[in-house]
Amino acid sequence: MSSSVTIASAARELAPQETAPVEMADLLVAYLEQIGVEYVFGVPGGAIEPLFNALARSQRRGGLRPVVARHEAGAAFMADGYARETGRLGVCCATSGPGSTNLITGVACAHDNNIPLLAISGLPALPSFGRGAFQESSGTGVNAFAMFQHCTRYNAMVSHPSQFERKLANALMTAQRAPGGAAHLAIPLDVLRYAAASATPAYDLAALFEPKSVLIDENAVQALKAELQRAPRAVFVIGAACFDAIEAIMALADLTNALFVTTPDAKGYVNPRHPAYCGVFGFGGHGSADALLASAPDIVLAFGSGFGEFVSGGWCDSLLNNRLVHIDNSEENLMRSPMARRHVLGHIRAVCERLIELLDADSAADINDARKLASGLYQAEVTFQSPESYDSDATPIKPQRLMKTLSERCPPTTRFLADIGNSMVWTAHYLQPHDRRTRPRHLGQATERRSGSASWLRVVMDFCPMGWAIGAAVGIARGQPNCPVVCVAGDGAYLMSGQEITVAAMEQLTVVFVILNDSALGMVKHGQRLAQAEAIGYELPQVDYRKLAESMGIPGHVINSPQELEALDFAAILQRQGPTLLDVRIDGEEVPPMARRMKTLGALK
Ligand SMILES: Cc1ncc(C[n+]2csc(CCOP(=O)(O)OP(=O)(O)O)c2C)c(N)n1
């Protein structure tokens, strides 16, 4: 008996009505529609087919639709990017067995970065479990279902149709609970096909998900206000969870004359040319940020960060000490700073707005005068490693010079992403577009303000899978098709995941893939050199990425020099309804600013 016959008869066993008008898969789609999801990123296959059927029905009536990735990890990265850009839930799906194991890297990455994401994987029909069914991935096959247990906040198999809505609601609620995370549902084929009593969801999740954002610890805020008044030299550290609080944080920084730094994954929330900005603290960061924290300020307010290795400068003592006040809406993040002087639990924006209110009421002018006197002691600046390379006109083009031109030639609405590897380090350190969008409210009307969770730069922390930015760029562009997206990735990452460019082509999305072509796993090469380790395993083949793109019907350009880069018609490329590839033959000898990482690895003293 063929497996499709087995599956069909199993589905009949569960289905009380032969010609069910609505299946559980339709109900799943109805829930996603209810909470405003527009796309499901995935790859089809037998066990997940009913979901694709339901998506086709939904698409016909103008509802949500699938975006088909080339690899399931790419689908999860796309869902991650979509969630970051839109503030909505990212949803991805895969078939059972290898489809779900392929999905795992992207799900783990979202989980580790607190991105709200729902992963749905198919399973063969329930009666076939334990019989060697094709791609069986429950407990009686290759147990892919169990693998998700370790990289999600919620992992459930729907082992009976009556569980379906409850488990789905639980997964959706868990993924969206602050600070966001990944949930996984494994759904057998026959459950997806089971006749639903109605296409109308039993629960109104849209109402339950309405923001309850004003919860703060008033006593802690009052105590912090008093501490701030006693501490003229305040420094702020802005972390990834500050996306919707950034204007309030900027207003508070202005009111208290605080200088500020960001973690690499929060650089995109601020104006990198802000007069009080001292740069990125952490991976790829600036000496000026290190110096600011090492200058023993009176108080350090850190907002929305879990202080992982990359965002804490390798758990640096100058940050993690008792000058620290840690402000966060996540108890998990607060748990990471037991050395702090104070924890303030609460919605970050609400905490800042309340502090502003309290400080205003206590005559901010006096506080400002005291601070202005103190601020003469320390000036804001962002210091680059090798500033001469930033302005260099040499050929081959230096990566720093590439960052300069991208900063100058892309409009303020551009969404940049950097992949793991030297791309992330170059970007965190040198990219500084003229961003006129974030200004303290009381300094006048902000122009071209970003909305919601929008950021001009996205990088991934902690889990850091190569190829993340390539998929995430497609997801961001799908979520915000009116803004150009620029994805900076190494040739190694592109060889791993570059096929997702064809999704941007089919979806007609404006994504510029900037490939740092050095025929090497550059971060590995430079890491080995800095550590004086064996030079091994970093070489990559010489590839003409323009030709590769052109073979897919995608325009490409080879760039050897700053002059060739400057000569590009950026306006046309950034308006094209479809991707463009820039194969940039960079100077691979330039040393990326990654000494801190080497120290943490124990390779540098
Ligand atoms: C999936 C995965 N495999 C391996 C690594 C380890 N790793 C980190 S950076 C890097 C090299 C990246 O090379 P490339 O994409 O060419 O970027 P470059 O550093 O040259 O800019 C490697 C192998 C990783 N982060 N993710």
Side-chain angles (χ1 to χ4, degrees), residues 420-423 464-466 490-493 496 518 520-524:
I420 180 67
N422 290 343
S423 309
C464 286
M466 285 164 70
D491 46 353
M496 206 178 256
D518 56 356
L521 299 169
M523 178 159 278
V524 173

Side-chain angles (χ1 to χ4, degrees), residues 63-99:
L64 73 166
R65 71 166 173 91
V67 172
V68 176
R70 304 294 161 257
H71 186 285
E72 288 83 354
F77 297 153
M78 288 174 199
D80 174 333
Y82 174 83
R84 287 178 196 247
E85 177 62 35
T86 61
R88 299 190 181 127
L89 182 73
V91 182
C92 55
C93 72
T95 193
S96 59

Side-chain angles (χ1 to χ4, degrees), residues 294-308:
S295 71
D298 299 315
I299 193 167
V300 175
L301 267 54
F303 301 90
S305 176
F307 297 129

Side-chain angles (χ1 to χ4, degrees), residues 238-553:
I238 298 170
C242 295
F243 49 87
D244 62 344
I246 195 64
E247 290 196 357
I249 296 173
M250 290 291 102
L252 185 65
D254 190 60
L255 185 67
T256 56
N257 267 346
L259 300 185
F260 65 93
V261 299
T262 62
T263 57
D265 49 349
K267 182 181 180 186
Y269 303 146
V270 306
N271 175 359
R273 295 166 190 268
H274 191 291
Y277 185 48
C278 293
V280 169
F281 184 76
F283 193 48
H286 300 99
S288 46
D290 289 350
L292 180 66
L293 282 161
S295 71
D298 299 315
I299 193 167
V300 175
L301 267 54
F303 301 90
S305 176
F307 297 129
E309 179 190 333
F310 277 16
V311 298
S312 66
W315 309 287
C316 187
D317 289 343
S318 62
L319 170 66
L320 301 178
N321 57 49
N322 72 353
R323 281 191 291 273
L324 180 68
V325 174
H326 192 174
I327 300 160
D328 218 300
N329 65 350
S330 153
E331 297 199 42
E332 262 169 62
N333 279 353
L334 292 176
M335 183 187 81
R336 299 273 186 81
S337 62
M339 72 297 289
R341 174 194 301 193
R342 181 173 301 286
H343 281 171
V344 182
L345 178 63
H347 186 260
I348 299 169
R349 191 185 66 222
V351 168
C352 292
E353 286 172 349
R354 181 73 183 127
L355 274 170
I356 291 170
E357 239 172 58
L358 293 169
L359 289 168
D360 268 342
D362 262 14
S363 174
D366 298 345
I367 303 162
N368 259 336
D369 285 344
R371 288 184 192 288
K372 272 178 190 141
L373 283 176
S375 69
L377 298 172
Y378 65 144
Q379 293 297 321
E381 59 169 349
V382 178
T383 51
F384 283 168
Q385 176 179 304
S386 317
E388 65 289 351
S389 298
Y390 189 70
D391 296 313
S392 168
D393 285 335
T395 301
I397 184 169
K398 299 197 183 292
Q400 300 92 326
R401 178 68 163 82
L402 170 65
M403 295 301 134
K404 180 183 181 192
T405 303
L406 292 177
S407 301
E408 289 170 355
R409 301 290 299 276
C410 299
T413 50
T414 307
R415 272 65 170 146
F416 292 94
L417 295 95
D419 208 74
I420 180 67
N422 290 343
S423 309
M424 181 199 279
V425 181
W426 297 129
T427 312
H429 202 88
Y430 293 98
L431 198 65
Q432 44 166 2
H434 292 270
D435 177 5
R436 295 166 283 121
R437 289 165 291 168
T438 300
R439 302 183 64 206
R441 235 171 276 161
H442 64 280
L443 289 183
Q445 199 58 40
T447 50
E448 293 186 65
R449 270 191 40 216
R450 280 166 286 159
S451 64
S453 58
S455 168
W456 63 261
L457 173 63
R458 302 284 184 182
V459 293
V460 70
M461 295 280 104
D462 298 336
F463 201 67
C464 286
M466 285 164 70
W468 167 84
I470 297 168
V474 176
I476 287 182
R478 190 59 282 168
Q480 180 50 275
N482 301 322
C483 294
V485 176
V486 174
C487 171
V488 184
D491 46 353
Y494 198 73
L495 286 174
M496 206 178 256
S497 300
Q499 71 283 355
E500 305 300 349
I501 194 174
T502 59
V503 182
M506 287 182 76
E507 295 282 324
Q508 301 185 321
L509 298 172
T510 308
V511 187
V512 184
F513 291 92
V514 180
I515 309 308
L516 305 193
N517 189 351
D518 56 356
S519 300
L521 299 169
M523 178 159 278
V524 173
K525 179 177 88 176
H526 285 285
Q528 289 169 348
R529 285 183 184 174
L530 288 167
Q532 297 175 331
E534 300 281 356
I536 184 170
Y538 66 80
E539 296 101 333
L540 291 176
Q542 287 188 351
V543 177
D544 186 332
Y545 294 95
R546 172 183 56 180
K547 283 193 183 150
L548 204 57
E550 281 173 356
S551 75
M552 298 165 172

